[in-house]
Amino acid sequence: MGIDSFCSLDGSDPFWDWNRTWQTHNPDLTPCFQNTVLVWIPCLYLWLFAPFYILYLKRNDRGYICMTHLNRAKTVIGFTLWLICWADVFYSFWERSHGAAIAPVYLVSPTMLGVTMLLATFLIQYERMKGVQSSGVMLNFWLIAIVCATVTFRSKILHALNEPASVNVFKYTTFYIYYTMLLISLILACLSDQPPLFSQAVKDSNPCPESGASFLSRITFWWITGLMVTGYKRPLEEKDLWSLNTEDKSQRVVPQLVRRWDQECNKVKRPVDKTLYSPKRAARGEKKDGQPIEESEILLAKTLQKTGEPSLFCALCRTFGPYFLVSSLYKIIHDILMFVGPEILRLLIQFVNDSSAPTWHGYFYTTLLFVCTCVQTLILQKYFHVCFVTGMRLRTAIVGAVYRKALVITNAARRTSTVGEIVNLMSVDAQRFMDLITYINMIWSAPLQVILALYFLWQNLGPSVLAGVAVMVLMVPVNAVIAMKTKTYQVAQMKSKDNRIKLMNEVLNGIKVLKLYAWELAFKDKVSAIRESELRVLKKTAYLGAVSTFTWVCAPFLVALSTFAVYVLMDEHNILDAQKAFVSLALFNILRFPLNMLPMVISSMVQASVSMKRLRVFLSHEELDEDNVERPAITASFSWSKDDSPTLKRIHVRIPEGALVAVVGHVGSGKSSLLSALLGEMQKQEGSVSIKGSVAYVPQQAWIQNATLKDNILFGRDAKDSWYQKVVEACALLPDLEILPGGDLTEIGEKGVNLSGGQKQRVSVARAIYCNCAVYLLDDPLSAVDAHVGKHIFEKVIGPQGLLQGRTRVLVTHGLSFLPQADLILVMVDGEITEMGSYTELLGRQGAFAEFLRTYTNTEQEEVEESVGGEAGLLISELLSCFHASVLSHSTGKTPQKTEPNDVAAAKKAKSTEAARLTEADKANTGRVKLSVFWEYMKAIGLPLSIFSIFLFFCHHLSSLGSNYWLSLWTDDPVINNTQPNREMRLGVYGALGLTQGIAVFCYSVAVSVGGILASRYLHQTMLYNVLRSPMSFFERTPSGNLVNRFAKETDTIDSVIPSIIKMFMGSMFNVLGSCAVILIATPLVAIIIPPLGLLYFFVQRFYVASSRQLKRLESVSRSPVYTHFNETLLGTSVIRAFGEQQRFIRESDGRVDHNQKAYFPSIVANRWLAVRLEFVGNCIVAFAALFAVMARDSLSPGIMGLSISYALQVTTYLNWLVRMSSELETNIVAVEKVKEYGDTEKEAEWRLEHSTLPAGWPTTGHIEIRNFGLRYREDLELAISDISVNIEGGEKVGIVGRTGAGKSSLTLGLFRIIEAAQGEICVDGVNIAELGLHELRSRITIIPQVPHLNTPKQCWGKLLLKVMHYNISLLRKKNGIKYLARALLRKTKILVLDEATAAVDLETDNLIQSTIRTQFEDCTVLTIAHRLNTIMDYTRVLVLDKGQMAEFDSPSNLTAKKGIFYKMAKDSGLV
């Protein structure tokens, strides 16, 4: 039975009739076609997708949605539709029973449709049970059904109007009801149901609207509009951002990747048998004397050995592949739709040429073009959305995995990568993956596009296409070579950049030392030298970039030129008409994208593979063996890495529970290493270690988090007030809480900048005590605090009567006065324990320990009276140097009233929370970027060069338009005897215009790039100078992360991003203007449409930029905390591991990453929102260009029409680029703004005065006179020291002592003018130092400061080791003081200041240093701020400060006799 007889028994109703459908002015489809194909299409669609959809719903159950009115309505209409279809079937049967001849189609089609409607109703309910709020599958079904029904609807109306007699009233009525129901269904399908019960969205205060949005809203990204409106009305803030979707959160994404990575690692590990010999006690076999028989057993242990490298790529694919595959599907559909445009263009030109064609053909093509471009838009944006979300998850996963790994890698592994490199893995490498994900599909999509384009071109022009292809193929290696070259330059540039950032990091960390030694200029030159080499490479990259821009812009033109030349010259009968020329041009434009993308994608893949390798290496690093510390204690030896020789050898020690063990020994004898071994931080080479119970650890260098003081002490534990009070009191922190501006809620800056060394150490001790653990490992915590504070802490905390009594305490110490109270003393020499025992035992043995003591203690030590108890309350915190916390307090300047020692709460209330803030977070600027920023940038380039570049752009676009217009004139040339007469002339001019284009492109590319380099050199230099000129207070307020960010991220943006964005922005702008001009010339009617579309475009763009810019800012502001936290973690890994706080830190890091992605996610959605709307504007321009061309087809030549529509087809892309680039330009130019802002901050006094009258050898005698001197840390504060008048003769040795916070360091800061005087003056050799340039002053006096930092050149070490040290020093922290001494020796000046320089070295080294100072600096004036009074007992005079004023000033012997403050301090230290 044929299809015709299926439709009508007598064959009178054919399936298809061309005369009825196409070659007519009023088209219609045959009833047979309507009753079969148009009914079956929706049915087929639903039955095809239903099984997959049901399976998908089964897998992704989101919960249960309660019955709502919407759902009831959908279900009722579904049933109604089913009933209508059955009514049709029954009606046909009824007719049949009454003898009418009914064709099979009238029974089959309604039955099929009815069953399909039942399926649709079932799906509606099943979706509700699985928590689907809005369904795309169903919406598409209703849409297809309504489109098919609309054709029938029109046909039925025409039929009823033309032949009213033959109308079947029942069937017509059912059809109209059916059509109405379909319409209602379609509208209902556009709406979204309520969220499922118990869904995340219900609990969340600000859920992401995506999950609850309807399908239409999702494909057009309408659901973000609410946020955009808010952003347009006022700048967006943190609170406006939605929570992340559950599937994007760290807690979901990271474990997936970690699990897959572990599986990959286990795949490549192969078990290998290893033989071990182990001594074994026999169970029962004993010798006669009852001694167990010694025997050995051979153990075959299985150890895992690596057979290859685990594949990170596989792990990533298995984690993110399935979701990402959806994007490939979108991409295929989009690629196929791309070729519809040129085909419709061909049909349109054909339509203009064929005057007999019915007019509706033109409108039909126009509509088809519009629909296709719109579908293409939606699919492309959906594709990008999937890609970006995958990229975002990938970044989250990589950051999380790197963070988790950093917490467990061994010290040996840590040494292979610096902190900077590890942070780079998180920032740079993770970013590279994100960038690649967007384009990775081009690897298969580009070849597909090329093949399709060539196929259509061959159809159009035949073999001459090969000429164009040859040109393209030649371009690929050129581009590849350029890409490879760029890659090598990039590596070189990255290397310079790394070095520069490393140096900047050192400079910023040691800025105080830099200022004290007046080394700013030397370091500025060092940084500038690296920067110059970086810029040299950048310049080479710029020239290469110019060549590649040249090829990228000229390739399509050369391709067209060569193809058309070969085509017209091959055979003179080959005529280049509009259809051939412009369809080919449209296809060449499509072809240009994949060919240019391929090299980019490949180089991007190469970069990502480098990143992949770096990540793989890092993630494969060895982890600390958790079994390093276990139960039974036996001898052990340790090293810092597997390959080193042991640092600790033959350690054999059992520490009784609850004992206080002191570890003593010279510098570098392995005391700190012993504690590291106990913590499991070292590689165990043999033996075993066991620790019973939880461990708390106080490192030698206190590790302080950037959080409040209280949070630092609680360290994630629950707050217990009474215990907290006790701890704070025992650690002598109460006086500090009074002085700190916000009490214990004061925010501590990065690395604890606003605390003195001693305060940091005490906070570190308080943290350990608060944790209430069984075992305490204390690495010399008392060295950084004053003697009497040390004594207080020992008594209240560590000693036999302290808070920790009954706990096991291992104390590394240089303080000999504590040793008699220790239960056990371990003496270490060269990594071995040479002696152990109690104090009296060791003294009795007359060994190394006794010798050690005899040399270094004052044997006349008297019993110290128990007078320290009450002093704790009197300790005024050591507010050292410029790290005075009050610098940052916002108090009125009154000193806080004394509070009762343990009334912390009262002290707290007195402080304002505002005062507690210290670091200024990176602020997110709001509002539009000011035009002045662009002006600044243009000035930095140079105005003549800027204007010249713009002129070149104009020339290029003018010649480009000219060549295409010439082509359209050429195609309209009349054809005489099957040939075009002037073709050689036409071809020549066309080529010449192309050449002009090329030259202009090359020149403007070079001009912009060189201009960019000039600008970035100028901006970096001024920023570096401005930062170095800033006073110390600036560095305390500004987190170093922000500053490094300016020198790394922002500078990189100015170097490489801004110039290329400017090129693209200018290009897109001229392209859009050019296209509009061409369309206007061709079809002037478009002038009606362009202004409203232009306004819409402009409004959408402004609307978008307002939110996008703010989201970008919020994202970059929330990015720094991720890296700051990571940096902080890396510095404190040993502490975090010791306290077992890894999970809490991982949660914190995940939280920060999620917080960052919370701002990133809306920004990628906003991009998609914009793209959909802009492409819609573009699609309207295409549609109107085509529409008006169709309307004016009688007056238009095919050439002009071809030109107009081929330009219109490109407008969408250009518009997209233009907005993208203008917003990119706005967001990136912010970098210039940020770099410039340091020009407006406060600066120090001039470094050198122009007309200096300073004599050459000044100071010659070193005579210091201080008159009424006072200084304050900030305008609104009280004087920190006041009314100090002292006269110090040249060559005197003066000690400066006082309780902590008495103003000892403040005095030295005044001498060096780190803080300027508020009253009085200081004269050195009769010259008032306030009248000198800072460098003139600072370079003539020398200080050995408290916080050792930067590395000076190596020769210092050499001279130092000759002069001072006579034994080898391993590079531990304690040596830094010695390093400074070396600097002082290398720069002999008449005045030397020592600021607590010897607190962290043992007594032997201390004596060495003191003797060096006495011999080498005997004719100099020496001022020493002393912690250990024994170092200054032989000085000529001692200045005692108290509460910022001078209390006593005399020789040590006189002061002792006076029995004043000095006498009490000496007594505490056991010196009198």
Side-chain angles (χ1 to χ4, degrees):
M1 181 167 78
I3 189 86
D4 288 354
S5 52
F6 177 68
C7 288
S8 58
L9 297 173
D10 56 358
S12 62
D13 183 4
F15 179 68
W16 188 256
D17 179 359
W18 280 109
N19 293 326
R20 191 169 170 179
T21 50
W22 193 248
Q23 286 129 2
T24 169
H25 286 282
N26 189 9
D28 195 8
L29 291 166
T30 62
C32 179
F33 190 85
Q34 291 177 23
N35 287 328
T36 52
V37 177
L38 293 189
V39 174
W40 295 350
I41 285 176
C43 301
L44 268 173
Y45 163 82
L46 196 62
W47 284 101
L48 210 78
F49 280 96
F52 299 109
Y53 188 47
I54 291 171
L55 203 70
Y56 167 78
L57 288 179
K58 209 170 168 163
R59 289 261 176 89
N60 297 32
D61 192 345
R62 302 205 186 113
Y64 176 89
I65 300 179
C66 296
M67 247 317 184
T68 54
H69 291 311
L70 178 66
N71 209 283
R72 286 192 188 97
K74 284 183 182 174
T75 315
V76 168
I77 289 174
F79 272 120
T80 312
L81 284 165
W82 173 68
L83 287 173
I84 289 169
C85 296
W86 282 114
D88 268 0
V89 176
F90 288 131
Y91 183 74
S92 297
F93 275 118
W94 180 80
E95 277 189 317
R96 207 169 178 174
S97 67
H98 283 68
I102 297 295
V105 71
Y106 293 108
L107 297 171
V108 175
S109 287
T111 311
M112 263 181 81
L113 200 54
V115 176
T116 308
M117 290 304 164
L118 255 183
L119 174 66
T121 314
F122 163 74
L123 280 175
I124 288 169
Q125 283 306 315
Y126 192 63
E127 285 177 342
R128 179 180 70 80
M129 288 153 71
K130 292 294 177 190
V132 177
Q133 291 173 260
S134 173
S135 158
V137 173
M138 293 310 294
L139 182 84
N140 286 337
F141 168 68
W142 297 122
L143 187 67
I144 294 169
I146 199 100
V147 167
C148 292
T150 305
V151 177
T152 316
F153 185 71
R154 175 180 174 272
S155 180
K156 281 199 185 310
I157 287 179
L158 286 175
H159 182 235
L161 291 174
N162 297 335
E163 306 170 29
S166 62
V167 170
N168 181 330
V169 178
F170 181 82
K171 287 199 169 170
Y172 269 51
T173 312
T174 53
F175 179 76
Y176 290 144
I177 296 173
Y178 166 77
Y179 188 73
T180 315
M181 290 294 166
L182 279 184
L183 260 177
I184 297 173
S185 280
L186 180 66
I187 293 164
L188 291 180
C190 296
L191 305 175
S192 175
D193 216 333
Q194 63 180 38
L197 286 172
F198 315 120
S199 78
Q200 207 50 46
V202 183
K203 294 179 229 160
D204 208 325
S205 56
N206 190 4
C208 177
E210 183 184 14
S211 54
S214 69
F215 175 75
L216 266 185
S217 168
R218 282 220 290 276
I219 58 169
T220 56
F221 296 94
W222 187 261
W223 52 272
I224 191 188
T225 312
L227 188 73
M228 308 285 279
V229 172
T230 314
Y232 185 67
K233 288 183 186 158
R234 62 171 172 78
L236 289 172
E237 294 162 33
E238 293 266 316
K239 62 174 193 296
D240 301 319
L241 302 177
W242 317 302
S243 313
L244 274 182
N245 289 323
T246 324
E247 52 271 22
D248 298 333
K249 286 185 179 163
S250 295
Q251 64 201 48
R252 170 76 69 88
V253 179
V254 184
Q256 290 176 347
L257 178 66
V258 172
R259 190 173 69 246
R260 299 269 155 73
W261 169 247
D262 289 342
Q263 289 167 0
E264 289 299 321
C265 290
N266 294 334
K267 272 189 206 166
V268 297
K269 285 182 183 161
R270 199 178 56 204
V272 180
D273 290 342
K274 192 174 171 186
T275 318
L276 299 171
Y277 294 90
S278 142
K280 175 186 168 193
R281 292 262 169 109
R284 276 181 282 286
E286 294 191 354
K287 290 189 197 168
K288 298 280 189 323
D289 54 2
Q291 286 295 311
I293 304 163
E294 281 288 334
E295 60 170 278
S296 278
E297 63 177 342
I298 296 174
L299 299 176
L300 282 174
K302 284 213 184 301
T303 57
L304 292 174
Q305 192 181 7
K306 257 185 165 183
T307 53
E309 292 299 340
S311 162
L312 180 60
F313 180 68
C314 289
L316 291 172
C317 284
R318 288 173 53 203
T319 314
F320 302 107
Y323 177 71
F324 187 63
L325 275 176
V326 181
S327 71
S328 308
L329 184 70
Y330 288 134
K331 188 76 178 132
I332 290 176
I333 300 172
H334 173 257
D335 285 356
I336 292 166
L337 282 174
M338 272 172 76
F339 291 95
V340 175
E343 275 306 293
I344 296 177
L345 175 63
R346 188 172 64 83
L347 293 169
L348 272 168
I349 294 176
Q350 205 172 305
F351 164 76
V352 172
N353 278 337
D354 176 11
S355 52
S356 66
T359 319
W360 71 267
H361 284 190
Y363 297 123
F364 174 69
Y365 293 144
T366 304
T367 314
L368 199 61
L369 186 61
F370 183 65
V371 171
C372 277
T373 46
C374 286
V375 172
Q376 197 180 330
T377 294
L378 293 178
I379 285 186
L380 181 65
Q381 299 321 320
K382 205 67 195 142
Y383 160 73
F384 276 132
H385 184 61
V386 173
C387 287
F388 277 113
V389 170
T390 310
M392 179 176 94
R393 289 180 190 173
L394 191 66
R395 175 173 169 239
T396 301
I398 287 174
V399 171
V402 169
Y403 188 87
R404 284 157 172 75
K405 184 73 181 183
L407 283 174
V408 292
I409 56 174
T410 59
N411 282 293
R414 266 299 287 282
R415 273 186 294 184
T416 56
S417 35
T418 62
V419 173
E421 281 170 355
I422 301 177
V423 173
N424 263 350
L425 288 176
M426 286 184 128
S427 49
V428 181
D429 296 322
Q431 191 61 44
R432 280 204 182 140
F433 278 111
M434 279 176 79
D435 297 343
L436 175 68
I437 284 280
T438 333
Y439 301 118
I440 187 96
N441 275 321
M442 289 303 291
I443 282 297
W444 59 263
S445 161
L448 173 74
Q449 288 179 29
V450 169
I451 290 164
L452 281 172
L454 290 180
Y455 168 76
F456 285 113
L457 276 166
W458 188 282
Q459 298 274 310
N460 213 16
L461 294 175
S464 49
V465 170
L466 295 175
V469 174
V471 173
M472 286 191 173
V473 172
L474 280 174
M475 287 295 180
V476 172
V478 173
N479 275 336
V481 169
I482 293 175
M484 293 312 288
K485 252 326 207 189
T486 312
K487 177 95 179 43
T488 50
Y489 288 150
Q490 228 174 5
V491 171
Q493 188 205 340
M494 278 300 277
K495 204 166 174 182
S496 301
K497 187 171 139 191
D498 281 351
N499 288 339
R500 179 168 59 86
I501 299 304
K502 206 159 139 193
L503 186 61
M504 276 314 299
N505 247 326
E506 276 199 8
V507 167
L508 294 172
N509 283 337
I511 189 75
K512 186 173 179 199
V513 178
L514 223 68
K515 293 198 169 302
L516 290 170
Y517 282 78
W519 282 341
E520 293 103 331
L521 285 170
F523 275 92
K524 176 172 174 264
D525 296 343
K526 247 174 121 174
V527 174
S528 301
I530 299 178
R531 177 75 180 148
E532 279 309 310
S533 68
E534 199 181 337
L535 288 175
R536 274 198 297 277
V537 177
L538 264 176
K539 201 170 256 177
K540 288 180 191 163
T541 320
Y543 293 137
L544 270 181
V547 175
S548 83
T549 308
F550 173 73
T551 55
W552 148 255
V553 175
C554 291
F557 180 80
L558 286 173
V559 169
L561 181 68
S562 54
T563 308
F564 295 153
V566 169
Y567 181 72
V568 296
L569 299 175
M570 198 165 64
D571 178 355
E572 62 177 21
H573 293 303
N574 279 349
I575 294 163
L576 192 66
D577 58 12
Q579 189 178 329
K580 286 193 171 62
F582 288 107
V583 174
S584 305
L585 271 186
L587 287 166
F588 281 134
N589 278 331
I590 289 179
L591 197 50
R592 159 189 178 180
F593 181 69
L595 283 176
N596 285 301
M597 282 301 288
L598 259 181
M600 204 178 99
V601 173
I602 290 167
S603 76
S604 184
M605 283 182 78
V606 172
Q607 280 186 359
S609 69
V610 172
S611 292
M612 178 99 76
K613 185 173 169 218
R614 285 173 48 167
L615 274 166
R616 194 199 67 222
V617 168
F618 180 74
L619 292 174
S620 310
H621 274 326
E622 268 189 286
E623 300 188 359
L624 279 174
D625 190 355
E626 289 178 0
D627 307 334
N628 272 349
V629 178
E630 37 177 335
R631 298 300 153 225
I634 321 175
T635 324
S637 66
F638 289 86
S639 71
W640 282 108
S641 89
K642 284 194 169 162
D643 316 325
D644 294 2
S645 55
T647 318
L648 299 174
K649 305 176 282 283
R650 296 185 282 286
I651 302 287
H652 185 88
V653 62
R654 240 173 217 280
I655 296 172
E657 205 170 321
L660 168 56
V661 181
V663 184
V664 296
H666 296 303
V667 174
S669 60
K671 302 185 295 294
S672 299
S673 300
L674 178 65
L675 295 192
S676 293
L678 289 175
L679 287 169
E681 295 282 314
M682 293 176 75
Q683 286 285 341
K684 183 172 62 179
Q685 300 209 332
E686 56 188 7
S688 66
V689 181
S690 82
I691 288 188
K692 182 177 168 195
S694 53
V695 178
Y697 169 58
V698 179
Q700 189 172 2
Q701 205 173 345
W703 174 69
I704 303 292
Q705 283 182 277
N706 185 352
T708 65
L709 189 99
K710 186 167 187 174
D711 289 341
N712 264 297
I713 296 176
L714 298 180
F715 203 53
R717 304 290 194 280
D718 297 334
K720 298 192 204 91
D721 277 348
S722 54
W723 176 239
Y724 175 70
Q725 302 270 355
K726 273 188 196 160
V727 171
V728 171
E729 199 179 335
C731 293
L733 280 166
L734 280 181
D736 304 290
L737 294 186
E738 287 181 26
I739 291 177
L740 287 172
D744 61 359
L745 297 178
T746 305
E747 185 196 353
I748 310 300
E750 268 184 81
K751 300 184 190 139
V753 291
N754 49 333
L755 294 182
S756 69
Q759 282 170 324
K760 280 193 249 186
Q761 201 53 287
R762 296 208 300 275
V763 170
S764 182
V765 172
R767 173 198 298 152
I769 308 170
Y770 189 83
C771 284
N772 221 344
C773 296
V775 180
Y776 283 83
L777 305 177
L778 311 166
D779 194 352
D780 205 4
L782 303 177
S783 63
V785 296
D786 290 356
H788 54 282
V789 181
K791 186 173 174 200
H792 171 88
I793 290 179
F794 186 81
E795 287 192 352
K796 294 279 184 195
V797 178
I798 305 167
Q801 269 71 51
L803 281 178
L804 301 182
Q805 59 186 7
R807 310 289 166 84
T808 312
R809 294 141 292 168
V810 180
L811 172 70
V812 169
T813 183
H814 292 131
L816 304 181
S817 53
F818 308 130
L819 296 182
Q821 302 182 49
D823 303 324
L824 180 67
I825 296 173
L826 309 179
V827 184
M828 296 201 68
V829 178
D830 292 337
E832 291 189 50
I833 297 180
T834 51
E835 289 186 283
M836 55 197 280
S838 69
Y839 187 74
T840 42
E841 279 173 25
L842 292 178
L843 267 183
R845 279 189 208 158
Q846 296 298 319
F849 179 71
E851 193 62 32
F852 181 75
L853 280 183
R854 259 202 298 283
T855 329
Y856 297 113
T857 44
N858 196 342
T859 37
E860 294 87 46
Q861 191 169 11
E862 297 169 11
E863 271 306 304
V864 182
E865 289 171 30
E866 296 301 313
S867 63
V868 185
E871 285 173 20
L874 299 168
L875 295 175
I876 294 172
S877 130
E878 51 208 275
L879 288 180
L880 120 92
S881 67
C882 58
F883 291 145
H884 198 290
S886 342
V887 178
L888 306 134
S889 78
H890 295 249
S891 59
T892 50
K894 297 187 177 67
T895 45
Q897 298 304 307
K898 274 256 172 230
T899 48
E900 289 304 306
N902 59 6
D903 192 359
V904 185
K908 264 194 291 194
K909 282 177 196 147
K911 325 286 181 181
S912 69
T913 40
E914 190 43 46
R917 303 276 313 146
L918 163 74
T919 47
E920 295 176 350
D922 224 346
K923 286 190 281 294
N925 297 339
T926 52
R928 290 194 62 171
V929 179
K930 297 184 194 68
L931 281 175
S932 59
V933 179
F934 291 97
W935 182 242
E936 285 289 347
Y937 188 72
M938 277 179 78
K939 279 199 302 200
I941 295 176
L943 288 179
L945 189 57
S946 306
I947 292 162
F948 181 59
S949 307
I950 293 171
F951 172 69
L952 286 169
F953 266 107
F954 184 71
C955 293
H956 159 228
H957 284 278
L958 205 62
S959 54
S960 163
L961 278 179
S963 63
N964 282 335
Y965 185 66
W966 184 259
L967 184 65
S968 81
L969 293 178
W970 178 3
T971 57
D972 287 340
D973 273 358
V975 179
I976 301 161
N977 298 335
N978 271 351
T979 60
Q980 280 171 319
N982 305 339
R983 58 187 185 176
E984 280 84 2
M985 181 269 290
R986 292 284 192 196
L987 194 61
V989 174
Y990 187 59
L993 283 167
L995 190 66
T996 325
Q997 223 176 313
I999 293 166
V1001 169
F1002 186 74
C1003 295
Y1004 84 63
S1005 192
V1006 171
V1008 172
S1009 301
V1010 170
I1013 287 168
L1014 292 174
S1016 69
R1017 169 186 287 136
Y1018 167 75
L1019 290 167
H1020 180 271
Q1021 277 304 78
T1022 47
M1023 170 165 72
L1024 181 62
Y1025 182 69
N1026 283 331
V1027 167
L1028 290 175
R1029 279 284 316 279
S1030 301
M1032 271 312 295
S1033 54
F1034 167 79
F1035 293 98
E1036 284 148 29
R1037 279 199 315 271
T1038 315
S1040 61
N1042 287 11
L1043 286 166
V1044 172
N1045 216 351
R1046 298 284 184 277
F1047 281 100
K1049 185 97 176 28
E1050 320 295 358
T1051 305
D1052 187 46
T1053 304
I1054 293 171
D1055 284 351
S1056 41
V1057 181
I1058 292 182
S1060 63
I1061 284 182
I1062 285 180
K1063 269 193 281 199
M1064 292 197 234
F1065 171 72
M1066 298 294 288
S1068 321
M1069 190 171 75
F1070 278 112
N1071 275 331
V1072 169
L1073 293 175
S1075 305
C1076 289
V1078 168
I1079 297 170
L1080 279 171
I1081 292 166
T1083 47
L1085 264 177
V1086 176
I1088 310 167
I1089 279 303
I1090 280 186
L1093 281 178
L1095 277 172
L1096 176 68
Y1097 169 81
F1098 182 74
F1099 172 69
V1100 165
Q1101 199 256 10
R1102 290 278 23 116
F1103 194 73
Y1104 158 80
V1105 167
S1107 303
S1108 155
R1109 189 179 48 223
Q1110 205 49 27
L1111 284 168
K1112 261 280 185 17
R1113 282 171 176 161
L1114 285 172
E1115 195 264 332
S1116 72
V1117 167
S1118 64
R1119 195 186 312 122
S1120 334
V1122 176
Y1123 305 140
T1124 312
H1125 177 71
F1126 187 48
N1127 253 326
E1128 204 171 73
T1129 306
L1130 285 174
L1131 295 170
T1133 40
S1134 54
V1135 179
I1136 295 168
R1137 284 198 288 250
F1139 283 95
E1141 286 285 316
Q1142 293 96 318
Q1143 284 312 313
R1144 180 167 70 87
F1145 274 81
I1146 286 173
R1147 279 198 304 276
E1148 169 71 14
S1149 170
D1150 284 353
R1152 290 185 181 210
V1153 173
D1154 285 349
H1155 189 73
N1156 176 229
Q1157 301 290 36
K1158 233 166 76 169
Y1160 175 71
F1161 179 67
S1163 75
I1164 56 179
V1165 180
N1167 268 335
R1168 305 279 68 81
W1169 178 93
L1170 171 79
V1172 169
R1173 276 138 195 79
L1174 286 192
E1175 291 202 5
F1176 180 73
V1177 172
N1179 297 340
C1180 288
I1181 292 180
V1182 176
F1184 282 115
L1187 182 70
F1188 291 133
V1190 169
M1191 286 161 70
R1193 73 169 174 170
D1194 305 330
S1195 59
L1196 262 190
S1197 75
I1200 292 287
M1201 178 175 177
L1203 180 71
S1204 159
I1205 293 177
S1206 63
Y1207 261 105
L1209 279 173
Q1210 282 180 287
V1211 136
T1212 318
T1213 322
Y1214 294 148
L1215 279 178
N1216 238 331
W1217 268 112
L1218 181 60
V1219 166
R1220 184 97 13 101
M1221 286 306 126
S1222 59
S1223 64
E1224 283 283 299
L1225 188 60
E1226 271 204 40
T1227 36
N1228 283 300
I1229 205 88
V1230 172
V1232 177
E1233 189 179 23
K1234 284 183 167 176
V1235 164
K1236 292 293 287 183
E1237 76 186 18
Y1238 288 143
D1240 312 330
T1241 51
E1242 49 173 336
K1243 300 285 172 274
E1244 287 186 307
E1246 287 299 319
W1247 280 341
R1248 292 201 181 282
L1249 299 178
E1250 284 184 19
H1251 311 294
S1252 174
T1253 52
L1254 202 62
W1258 179 90
T1260 44
T1261 56
H1263 167 248
I1264 303 175
E1265 189 180 351
I1266 302 176
R1267 304 192 198 116
N1268 273 344
F1269 185 71
L1271 57 82
R1272 55 168 59 98
Y1273 283 104
R1274 217 184 48 214
E1275 291 304 316
D1276 51 353
L1277 296 180
E1278 294 272 293
L1279 292 173
I1281 52 175
S1282 57
D1283 306 326
I1284 295 187
S1285 300
V1286 181
N1287 196 348
I1288 299 171
E1289 295 303 328
E1292 265 197 284
K1293 308 282 179 281
V1294 176
I1296 303 174
V1297 298
R1299 300 270 182 228
T1300 25
K1304 307 188 291 283
S1305 295
S1306 306
L1307 192 57
T1308 54
L1309 293 180
L1311 181 60
F1312 280 86
R1313 284 178 62 199
I1314 293 288
I1315 294 172
E1316 297 288 352
Q1319 60 175 59
E1321 58 182 18
I1322 300 181
C1323 294
V1324 175
D1325 283 2
V1327 178
N1328 183 352
I1329 61 169
E1331 291 161 8
L1332 301 175
L1334 290 180
H1335 280 187
E1336 293 168 328
L1337 167 68
R1338 291 172 187 170
S1339 58
R1340 309 290 179 92
I1341 49 182
T1342 305
I1343 185 167
I1344 300 180
Q1346 205 187 24
V1347 222
H1349 260 299
L1350 288 142
N1351 291 312
T1352 32
K1354 295 249 171 47
Q1355 59 267 30
C1356 297
W1357 274 101
K1359 292 188 187 177
L1360 160 73
L1361 294 177
L1362 290 172
K1363 285 188 173 182
V1364 189
M1365 306 309 296
H1366 56 277
Y1367 58 82
N1368 176 29
I1369 290 180
S1370 60
L1371 287 175
L1372 283 171
R1373 156 81 195 226
K1374 298 152 192 162
K1375 294 57 172 189
N1376 279 346
I1378 302 167
K1379 181 160 55 171
Y1380 278 96
L1381 190 62
R1383 285 187 195 150
L1385 287 171
L1386 290 178
R1387 160 170 154 175
K1388 271 283 184 66
T1389 56
K1390 278 290 174 193
I1391 299 176
L1392 171 68
V1393 181
L1394 281 95
D1395 186 355
E1396 301 176 333
T1398 58
V1401 277
D1402 58 18
L1403 293 173
E1404 183 177 358
T1405 319
D1406 193 358
N1407 285 359
L1408 250 161
I1409 291 173
Q1410 291 300 334
S1411 63
T1412 311
I1413 288 168
R1414 286 184 200 108
T1415 53
Q1416 301 293 336
F1417 296 97
E1418 63 189 327
D1419 54 344
C1420 302
T1421 310
V1422 178
L1423 304 179
T1424 303
I1425 292 178
H1427 265 211
R1428 298 180 179 167
L1429 294 187
N1430 56 351
T1431 55
I1432 56 163
M1433 289 311 266
D1434 60 345
Y1435 277 25
T1436 30
R1437 285 195 285 174
V1438 173
L1439 170 63
V1440 182
L1441 293 177
D1442 188 32
K1443 294 181 187 161
Q1445 297 191 326
M1446 185 170 96
E1448 303 173 345
F1449 185 41
D1450 211 335
S1451 65
S1453 49
N1454 292 356
L1455 288 177
T1456 315
K1458 274 187 193 163
K1459 303 227 168 183
I1461 297 180
F1462 183 75
Y1463 172 73
K1464 278 179 79 177
M1465 290 173 76
K1467 196 167 179 198
D1468 284 351
S1469 304
L1471 295 174
V1472 292

